[in-house]
Amino acid sequence: MYEFNYQRPKSLADAAKALKSAGDGGKLVAGGQTLIPTLKQRLAQPSDLIDLGGLKDLAGIKVEGGKVTIGALTTHAEVAHSAAVQKAIPALAALAEGIGDPQVRNRGTIGGSVANADPAADYPAGVVGLGATVHTNERTIAADQFFTGLFTTALKPGEIVTAVSFPVPQKAGYAKFPNPASRYCVVAVMAAKTADGVRVAVTGAGPSVFRVKEMEAALGKNWAPAAVDGIKVAPANLNQDIHASAEYRAHLVGVMARRAIEAAG
Ligand SMILES: Cc1cc2nc3c(=O)[nH]c(=O)nc-3n(C[C@H](O)[C@H](O)[C@H](O)COP(=O)(O)OP(=O)(O)OC[C@H]3O[C@@H](n4cnc5c(N)ncnc54)[C@H](O)[C@@H]3O)c2cc1C
Protein backbone atom coordinates (compact mmCIF):
# COMPACT_ATOMS: atom_id res chain seq x y z
CA MET A 1 0.00 0.00 0.00
CA TYR A 2 1.24 3.53 -0.79
CA GLU A 3 0.93 6.32 1.78
CA PHE A 4 -2.15 8.56 1.68
CA ASN A 5 -3.91 11.18 3.82
CA TYR A 6 -6.92 9.68 5.59
CA GLN A 7 -9.94 11.95 6.06
CA ARG A 8 -13.23 11.14 7.76
CA PRO A 9 -15.66 14.03 7.11
CA LYS A 10 -18.73 14.47 9.31
CA SER A 11 -21.07 15.87 6.65
CA LEU A 12 -21.80 15.35 2.97
CA ALA A 13 -20.78 18.95 2.27
CA ASP A 14 -17.39 18.38 3.97
CA ALA A 15 -16.91 15.12 2.03
CA ALA A 16 -17.62 16.91 -1.27
CA LYS A 17 -15.23 19.71 -0.28
CA ALA A 18 -12.46 17.27 0.68
CA LEU A 19 -12.91 15.36 -2.57
CA LYS A 20 -12.83 18.52 -4.70
CA SER A 21 -9.76 19.94 -2.94
CA ALA A 22 -7.86 16.63 -3.32
CA GLY A 23 -8.40 16.87 -7.11
CA ASP A 24 -7.38 13.82 -9.14
CA GLY A 25 -5.71 12.24 -6.10
CA GLY A 26 -8.89 12.05 -4.01
CA LYS A 27 -10.77 8.77 -3.62
CA LEU A 28 -13.91 7.98 -1.65
CA VAL A 29 -14.06 4.81 0.40
CA ALA A 30 -17.32 3.24 1.59
CA GLY A 31 -17.28 -0.49 2.43
CA GLY A 32 -13.74 -0.82 1.05
CA GLN A 33 -14.49 -4.24 -0.45
CA THR A 34 -13.13 -3.27 -3.85
CA LEU A 35 -10.96 -0.28 -3.06
CA ILE A 36 -8.89 -1.69 -0.17
CA PRO A 37 -7.70 -4.79 -2.13
CA THR A 38 -6.85 -2.43 -5.01
CA LEU A 39 -4.76 -0.27 -2.66
CA LYS A 40 -3.10 -3.31 -1.07
CA GLN A 41 -2.01 -4.50 -4.49
CA ARG A 42 -0.67 -1.00 -5.28
CA LEU A 43 -2.99 -0.74 -8.28
CA ALA A 44 -4.10 2.74 -7.16
CA GLN A 45 -2.21 5.56 -5.48
CA PRO A 46 -4.69 8.12 -4.10
CA SER A 47 -3.23 11.12 -2.27
CA ASP A 48 -6.34 11.35 -0.08
CA LEU A 49 -8.74 8.66 1.06
CA ILE A 50 -12.07 10.20 2.05
CA ASP A 51 -13.99 7.80 4.26
CA LEU A 52 -17.78 8.15 3.97
CA GLY A 53 -18.28 5.94 7.04
CA GLY A 54 -19.06 8.91 9.32
CA LEU A 55 -22.03 10.06 7.21
CA LYS A 56 -24.73 8.14 9.04
CA ASP A 57 -27.48 10.01 7.10
CA LEU A 58 -26.39 8.15 3.97
CA ALA A 59 -27.43 4.78 5.41
CA GLY A 60 -30.95 3.44 5.72
CA ILE A 61 -33.99 2.28 3.78
CA LYS A 62 -37.25 4.16 3.24
CA VAL A 63 -40.40 2.91 1.51
CA GLU A 64 -42.82 5.69 0.57
CA GLY A 65 -44.74 6.97 -2.43
CA GLY A 66 -44.38 3.67 -4.29
CA LYS A 67 -40.58 3.81 -4.06
CA VAL A 68 -37.89 2.03 -2.08
CA THR A 69 -35.06 4.47 -1.42
CA ILE A 70 -31.79 3.00 -0.20
CA GLY A 71 -29.04 5.24 1.18
CA ALA A 72 -25.63 4.88 -0.46
CA LEU A 73 -23.97 3.55 2.71
CA THR A 74 -26.55 0.81 3.25
CA THR A 75 -24.86 -2.57 3.21
CA HIS A 76 -25.96 -5.51 1.08
CA ALA A 77 -26.85 -7.43 4.28
CA GLU A 78 -29.15 -4.60 5.41
CA VAL A 79 -30.96 -4.65 2.05
CA ALA A 80 -31.20 -8.47 2.07
CA HIS A 81 -32.60 -8.59 5.63
CA SER A 82 -34.90 -5.57 5.40
CA ALA A 83 -38.51 -6.66 5.92
CA ALA A 84 -39.61 -3.54 4.00
CA VAL A 85 -37.52 -4.46 0.93
CA GLN A 86 -38.56 -8.11 1.16
CA LYS A 87 -42.19 -6.99 1.09
CA ALA A 88 -41.98 -4.25 -1.54
CA ILE A 89 -39.40 -5.74 -3.97
CA PRO A 90 -38.51 -9.31 -2.95
CA ALA A 91 -36.33 -9.67 -6.06
CA LEU A 92 -34.09 -6.84 -4.81
CA ALA A 93 -33.70 -8.45 -1.37
CA ALA A 94 -32.83 -11.74 -3.13
CA LEU A 95 -30.26 -9.95 -5.31
CA ALA A 96 -28.55 -8.46 -2.22
CA GLU A 97 -28.62 -11.83 -0.41
CA GLY A 98 -26.74 -13.45 -3.31
CA ILE A 99 -23.79 -11.01 -3.31
CA GLY A 100 -20.41 -12.47 -2.32
CA ASP A 101 -20.20 -13.93 1.18
CA PRO A 102 -21.40 -12.74 4.61
CA GLN A 103 -18.26 -10.63 5.16
CA VAL A 104 -18.70 -8.83 1.81
CA ARG A 105 -22.43 -8.36 2.43
CA ASN A 106 -21.80 -6.86 5.85
CA ARG A 107 -19.24 -4.31 4.58
CA GLY A 108 -20.05 -3.67 0.89
CA THR A 109 -22.50 -0.84 0.15
CA ILE A 110 -24.98 -0.13 -2.62
CA GLY A 111 -23.34 3.24 -3.33
CA GLY A 112 -19.89 1.64 -3.69
CA SER A 113 -21.27 -1.09 -5.88
CA VAL A 114 -23.05 1.19 -8.35
CA ALA A 115 -20.18 3.72 -8.44
CA ASN A 116 -17.70 0.92 -9.11
CA ALA A 117 -19.79 -0.46 -12.04
CA ASP A 118 -18.06 -3.82 -12.09
CA PRO A 119 -19.29 -5.72 -15.18
CA ALA A 120 -19.90 -8.81 -12.99
CA ALA A 121 -21.68 -6.99 -10.13
CA ASP A 122 -25.30 -7.71 -9.22
CA TYR A 123 -26.67 -4.23 -8.53
CA PRO A 124 -26.34 -2.88 -12.09
CA ALA A 125 -28.99 -5.42 -13.20
CA GLY A 126 -31.21 -4.41 -10.27
CA VAL A 127 -30.81 -0.70 -10.93
CA VAL A 128 -31.44 -0.92 -14.70
CA GLY A 129 -33.97 -3.79 -14.58
CA LEU A 130 -36.14 -1.98 -12.04
CA GLY A 131 -35.73 1.43 -13.72
CA ALA A 132 -34.18 3.00 -10.60
CA THR A 133 -32.82 6.51 -10.14
CA VAL A 134 -29.35 7.22 -8.75
CA HIS A 135 -29.22 10.27 -6.47
CA THR A 136 -25.97 12.19 -6.01
CA ASN A 137 -24.98 15.28 -4.05
CA GLU A 138 -25.51 17.26 -7.28
CA ARG A 139 -28.39 15.70 -9.27
CA THR A 140 -30.44 12.60 -10.09
CA ILE A 141 -29.46 10.18 -12.88
CA ALA A 142 -31.85 7.69 -14.50
CA ALA A 143 -30.63 4.08 -14.52
CA ASP A 144 -30.48 3.93 -18.32
CA GLN A 145 -28.03 6.85 -18.34
CA PHE A 146 -25.97 5.85 -15.28
CA PHE A 147 -23.83 2.87 -16.40
CA THR A 148 -21.79 3.97 -19.41
CA GLY A 149 -19.28 1.14 -19.89
CA LEU A 150 -16.70 -1.12 -18.26
CA PHE A 151 -16.16 0.26 -14.71
CA THR A 152 -17.51 3.63 -15.91
CA THR A 153 -20.58 5.62 -14.98
CA ALA A 154 -22.09 9.03 -15.63
CA LEU A 155 -20.66 10.28 -12.30
CA LYS A 156 -18.51 13.40 -12.72
CA PRO A 157 -15.28 13.90 -10.77
CA GLY A 158 -16.18 14.95 -7.23
CA GLU A 159 -19.74 13.60 -7.40
CA ILE A 160 -20.96 11.40 -4.53
CA VAL A 161 -23.78 8.84 -4.76
CA THR A 162 -26.18 9.53 -1.89
CA ALA A 163 -29.00 7.03 -2.56
CA VAL A 164 -30.69 4.81 -5.12
CA SER A 165 -34.49 4.82 -5.42
CA PHE A 166 -36.39 1.91 -6.93
CA PRO A 167 -40.02 2.23 -8.08
CA VAL A 168 -41.99 -0.74 -6.72
CA PRO A 169 -42.73 -2.98 -9.75
CA GLN A 170 -45.89 -4.99 -10.37
CA LYS A 171 -43.71 -8.09 -10.62
CA ALA A 172 -39.96 -8.68 -10.65
CA GLY A 173 -37.63 -11.65 -10.53
CA TYR A 174 -33.86 -12.06 -10.34
CA ALA A 175 -31.80 -15.06 -11.43
CA LYS A 176 -28.04 -15.40 -11.22
CA PHE A 177 -25.47 -17.90 -12.44
CA PRO A 178 -22.68 -17.18 -9.95
CA ASN A 179 -18.98 -17.77 -10.18
CA PRO A 180 -18.65 -20.64 -7.70
CA ALA A 181 -15.64 -19.04 -5.95
CA SER A 182 -16.34 -15.29 -5.71
CA ARG A 183 -20.12 -15.37 -6.29
CA TYR A 184 -19.79 -12.51 -8.81
CA CYS A 185 -22.18 -12.92 -11.74
CA VAL A 186 -21.12 -15.01 -14.71
CA VAL A 187 -24.54 -13.91 -15.97
CA ALA A 188 -27.55 -12.57 -14.05
CA VAL A 189 -30.88 -11.13 -15.16
CA MET A 190 -33.43 -8.87 -13.50
CA ALA A 191 -36.82 -8.99 -15.25
CA ALA A 192 -39.55 -6.61 -14.13
CA LYS A 193 -43.08 -5.65 -15.11
CA THR A 194 -43.36 -1.97 -14.21
CA ALA A 195 -45.91 0.78 -14.66
CA ASP A 196 -43.81 1.96 -17.64
CA GLY A 197 -43.52 -1.46 -19.29
CA VAL A 198 -41.34 -4.54 -19.07
CA ARG A 199 -37.59 -4.27 -18.42
CA VAL A 200 -35.01 -7.05 -18.79
CA ALA A 201 -31.47 -6.16 -17.66
CA VAL A 202 -28.41 -8.40 -17.92
CA THR A 203 -25.20 -8.16 -15.91
CA GLY A 204 -22.04 -10.28 -16.10
CA ALA A 205 -22.43 -11.07 -19.78
CA GLY A 206 -21.07 -7.89 -21.36
CA PRO A 207 -18.66 -5.06 -20.50
CA SER A 208 -21.57 -3.25 -18.84
CA VAL A 209 -25.19 -3.97 -17.93
CA PHE A 210 -27.55 -4.02 -20.94
CA ARG A 211 -31.25 -4.43 -21.70
CA VAL A 212 -32.69 -7.05 -24.06
CA LYS A 213 -35.39 -5.16 -25.95
CA GLU A 214 -36.62 -8.23 -27.89
CA MET A 215 -37.36 -10.04 -24.62
CA GLU A 216 -39.04 -6.93 -23.21
CA ALA A 217 -41.34 -6.72 -26.26
CA ALA A 218 -42.22 -10.43 -26.04
CA LEU A 219 -42.89 -10.23 -22.29
CA GLY A 220 -44.95 -7.07 -22.79
CA LYS A 221 -47.36 -9.18 -24.89
CA ASN A 222 -47.20 -12.27 -22.71
CA TRP A 223 -45.61 -12.21 -19.23
CA ALA A 224 -44.66 -15.89 -19.09
CA PRO A 225 -41.33 -17.79 -19.02
CA ALA A 226 -42.04 -19.33 -22.43
CA ALA A 227 -42.24 -15.87 -24.02
CA VAL A 228 -38.43 -15.57 -24.03
CA ASP A 229 -37.82 -19.03 -25.48
CA GLY A 230 -35.88 -18.82 -28.72
CA ILE A 231 -34.82 -15.17 -28.24
CA LYS A 232 -31.07 -15.14 -28.62
CA VAL A 233 -28.44 -12.57 -27.68
CA ALA A 234 -25.49 -12.43 -30.09
CA PRO A 235 -22.17 -13.45 -28.48
CA ALA A 236 -20.18 -10.96 -30.58
CA ASN A 237 -19.74 -8.28 -27.90
CA LEU A 238 -19.97 -10.44 -24.80
CA ASN A 239 -17.24 -11.17 -22.23
CA GLN A 240 -14.97 -14.14 -22.68
CA ASP A 241 -12.62 -15.35 -19.92
CA ILE A 242 -11.48 -18.44 -18.02
CA HIS A 243 -14.94 -18.73 -16.45
CA ALA A 244 -17.09 -18.84 -19.59
CA SER A 245 -16.94 -18.28 -23.33
CA ALA A 246 -18.99 -15.54 -24.99
CA GLU A 247 -21.20 -18.23 -26.57
CA TYR A 248 -21.88 -19.83 -23.18
CA ARG A 249 -22.70 -16.43 -21.66
CA ALA A 250 -25.11 -15.75 -24.57
CA HIS A 251 -26.82 -19.06 -23.84
CA LEU A 252 -27.00 -18.24 -20.11
CA VAL A 253 -28.80 -14.95 -20.81
CA GLY A 254 -31.78 -16.95 -22.15
CA VAL A 255 -31.68 -19.44 -19.26
CA MET A 256 -31.39 -16.74 -16.57
CA ALA A 257 -34.13 -14.62 -18.19
CA ARG A 258 -36.52 -17.59 -18.09
CA ARG A 259 -35.62 -18.29 -14.44
CA ALA A 260 -36.04 -14.62 -13.51
CA ILE A 261 -39.58 -14.61 -14.92
CA GLU A 262 -40.36 -17.89 -13.16
CA ALA A 263 -39.09 -16.34 -9.90
CA ALA A 264 -41.29 -13.28 -10.44
CA GLY A 265 -44.40 -15.46 -10.74
C1 LIG B 1 -14.62 -11.64 -2.28
C2 LIG B 1 -15.60 -10.67 -2.89
C3 LIG B 1 -16.73 -11.14 -3.50
C4 LIG B 1 -17.65 -10.26 -4.07
N1 LIG B 1 -18.75 -10.77 -4.69
C5 LIG B 1 -19.64 -9.93 -5.24
C6 LIG B 1 -20.82 -10.42 -5.88
O1 LIG B 1 -21.12 -11.61 -5.91
N2 LIG B 1 -21.66 -9.51 -6.46
C7 LIG B 1 -21.41 -8.15 -6.41
O2 LIG B 1 -22.20 -7.38 -6.93
N3 LIG B 1 -20.32 -7.66 -5.79
C8 LIG B 1 -19.44 -8.50 -5.20
N4 LIG B 1 -18.34 -7.98 -4.55
C9 LIG B 1 -18.18 -6.49 -4.47
C10 LIG B 1 -18.92 -5.93 -3.25
O3 LIG B 1 -20.25 -6.17 -3.50
C11 LIG B 1 -18.82 -4.39 -2.95
O4 LIG B 1 -20.05 -3.85 -2.91
C12 LIG B 1 -18.20 -3.58 -3.95
O5 LIG B 1 -16.87 -4.00 -3.86
C13 LIG B 1 -18.20 -2.04 -3.73
O6 LIG B 1 -18.79 -1.57 -2.53
P1 LIG B 1 -17.94 -0.94 -1.35
O7 LIG B 1 -18.91 -0.27 -0.46
O8 LIG B 1 -17.06 -1.96 -0.75
O9 LIG B 1 -17.08 0.18 -2.11
P2 LIG B 1 -15.55 0.64 -1.96
O10 LIG B 1 -14.62 -0.50 -2.19
O11 LIG B 1 -15.38 1.41 -0.72
O12 LIG B 1 -15.48 1.63 -3.21
C14 LIG B 1 -15.57 1.16 -4.53
C15 LIG B 1 -15.50 2.33 -5.51
O13 LIG B 1 -16.67 3.13 -5.41
C16 LIG B 1 -16.36 4.47 -5.03
N5 LIG B 1 -17.41 4.88 -4.10
C17 LIG B 1 -17.77 4.25 -2.95
N6 LIG B 1 -18.86 4.84 -2.42
C18 LIG B 1 -19.18 5.87 -3.25
C19 LIG B 1 -20.22 6.84 -3.24
N7 LIG B 1 -21.17 6.88 -2.29
N8 LIG B 1 -20.25 7.74 -4.26
C20 LIG B 1 -19.33 7.71 -5.24
N9 LIG B 1 -18.33 6.80 -5.30
C21 LIG B 1 -18.26 5.90 -4.32
C22 LIG B 1 -14.97 4.40 -4.41
O14 LIG B 1 -14.26 5.62 -4.57
C23 LIG B 1 -14.34 3.28 -5.23
O15 LIG B 1 -13.89 3.77 -6.46
C24 LIG B 1 -17.43 -8.84 -3.98
C25 LIG B 1 -16.28 -8.35 -3.34
C26 LIG B 1 -15.38 -9.25 -2.78
C27 LIG B 1 -14.17 -8.70 -2.08
Side-chain angles (χ1 to χ4, degrees):
M1 217 183 251
Y2 297 105
E3 283 189 8
F4 51 80
N5 299 314
Y6 175 79
Q7 304 191 45
R8 195 174 161 93
K10 290 203 170 63
S11 71
L12 184 60
D14 285 351
K17 209 165 136 197
L19 192 57
K20 286 231 159 94
S21 46
D24 286 349
K27 198 83 185 141
L28 297 171
V29 61
Q33 294 302 291
T34 294
L35 189 58
I36 301 298
T38 312
L39 297 180
K40 281 184 176 169
Q41 291 169 50
R42 296 192 163 203
L43 296 172
Q45 190 174 7
S47 63
D48 293 76
L49 208 58
I50 297 139
D51 186 351
L52 297 176
L55 310 185
K56 300 298 174 209
D57 291 353
L58 291 198
I61 297 167
K62 249 185 355 205
V63 183
E64 59 185 26
K67 281 189 183 151
V68 176
T69 301
I70 304 178
L73 280 189
T74 312
T75 64
H76 310 323
E78 286 163 340
V79 175
H81 300 154
S82 158
V85 179
Q86 286 170 0
K87 185 163 175 239
I89 318 181
L92 188 60
L95 175 153
E97 181 63 32
I99 293 176
D101 49 45
Q103 289 80 2
V104 169
R105 290 196 291 277
N106 278 296
R107 294 294 308 171
T109 67
I110 188 170
S113 183
V114 299
N116 195 48
D118 190 308
D122 290 82
Y123 267 120
V127 170
V128 174
L130 293 164
T133 300
V134 179
H135 301 256
T136 79
N137 57 329
E138 295 180 11
R139 59 187 169 140
T140 57
I141 309 168
D144 288 334
Q145 273 78 55
F146 185 77
F147 298 100
T148 53
L150 185 76
F151 291 107
T152 51
T153 67
L155 291 172
K156 292 183 286 189
E159 203 167 1
I160 302 174
V161 176
T162 54
V164 184
S165 59
F166 298 87
V168 175
Q170 293 157 11
K171 283 170 190 263
Y174 185 63
K176 166 175 174 175
F177 189 90
N179 177 310
S182 69
R183 316 303 292 173
Y184 272 106
C185 308
V186 176
V187 171
V189 173
M190 176 67 83
K193 195 174 180 185
T194 76
D196 298 326
V198 172
R199 300 174 72 93
V200 176
V202 180
T203 188
S208 181
V209 59
F210 62 89
R211 290 172 64 184
V212 187
K213 295 289 170 99
E214 210 183 332
M215 287 185 181
E216 293 178 355
L219 288 163
K221 290 189 201 125
N222 172 28
W223 178 266
V228 298
D229 286 353
I231 299 178
K232 298 204 182 317
V233 167
N237 297 318
L238 299 190
N239 300 335
Q240 177 133 319
D241 54 29
I242 55 164
H243 306 300
S245 65
E247 288 74 18
Y248 186 49
R249 281 187 161 90
H251 170 71
L252 282 177
V253 172
V255 177
M256 292 303 118
R258 200 178 210 286
R259 287 189 192 168
I261 298 144
E262 281 165 2

